[in-house]
Amino acid sequence: MTPTDRATRRPHVGVTVLALILGVVSLAAGCAVVSPSAQTPAPEQEWEALSDEAVIAEDLVLVVFALKEEFGPENLLDTMLPVEEHASTALDVAGLGYLDGNDVGGQEYSLYFYGVDREAMWKRLEPIMATAPYPLARVELWPPGEDATPRVLSFDEE
């Protein structure tokens, strides 16, 4: 064996010994070493398929409240939280849908509810929304689909 052969072999042996030592230490510590080739790749295709179609396949009830300021008062979120929690629980218990989130700006505060039946969802939500500390501006009842047209319920400001 020439000195060149030894120099090229040693790092390989060193890496092998190091990997063996790390494996023994990991096992002693209760960890497992898994080679990258043994790992299963994440199913990226499934996530892409769900992201666009899931929301479109559900009815949407968009509840919009009128605000006096661009983004409402400083305590807007605190005052709306009990209304949101009550509405979310009511839809969940009835098996009708869920609260997806809120949006604020342009003197409006909006709540997005998705579920199986927009009319039944609004029937359940209407008395709860009437308890909100801000007046209703409008409610949009959206059927599923990209080209859907909502039924809009308008409310006069008091």
Side-chain angles (χ1 to χ4, degrees), residues 74-96:
E74 193 173 306
N75 66 345
L76 172 67
L77 296 177
D78 292 332
T79 58
M80 286 301 294
L81 184 61
V83 175
E84 292 181 35
E85 288 175 339
H86 187 186
S88 180
T89 300
L91 289 183
D92 186 46
V93 168
L96 292 171

Side-chain angles (χ1 to χ4, degrees), residues 16-59:
T16 303
V17 170
L18 180 61
L20 181 60
I21 291 170
L22 286 174
V24 169
V25 170
S26 296
L27 288 175
C31 301
V33 177
V34 179
S35 72
S37 61
Q39 296 175 351
T40 306
E44 293 178 28
Q45 186 116 10
E46 290 181 35
W47 287 104
E48 291 174 20
L50 290 176
S51 63
D52 292 336
E53 296 171 14
V55 173
I56 295 171
E58 294 178 297
D59 285 6

Side-chain angles (χ1 to χ4, degrees), residues 7 9 23 30-31 43 53-54 57 73 92 96 102 110 113 120 123 125-126 134-135 139 143 155 157:
R9 261 185 104 194
C31 301
E53 296 171 14
D92 186 46
L96 292 171
N102 58 41
S110 304
F113 298 94
K123 185 176 181 178
L125 291 171
E126 186 174 15
Y134 305 99
V139 173
F155 298 86
E157 283 192 50

Side-chain angles (χ1 to χ4, degrees), residues 52-72:
D52 292 336
E53 296 171 14
V55 173
I56 295 171
E58 294 178 297
D59 285 6
L60 163 65
V61 175
L62 175 62
V63 180
V64 182
F65 296 93
L67 303 174
K68 293 181 180 177
E69 300 94 13
E70 177 72 16
F71 295 100

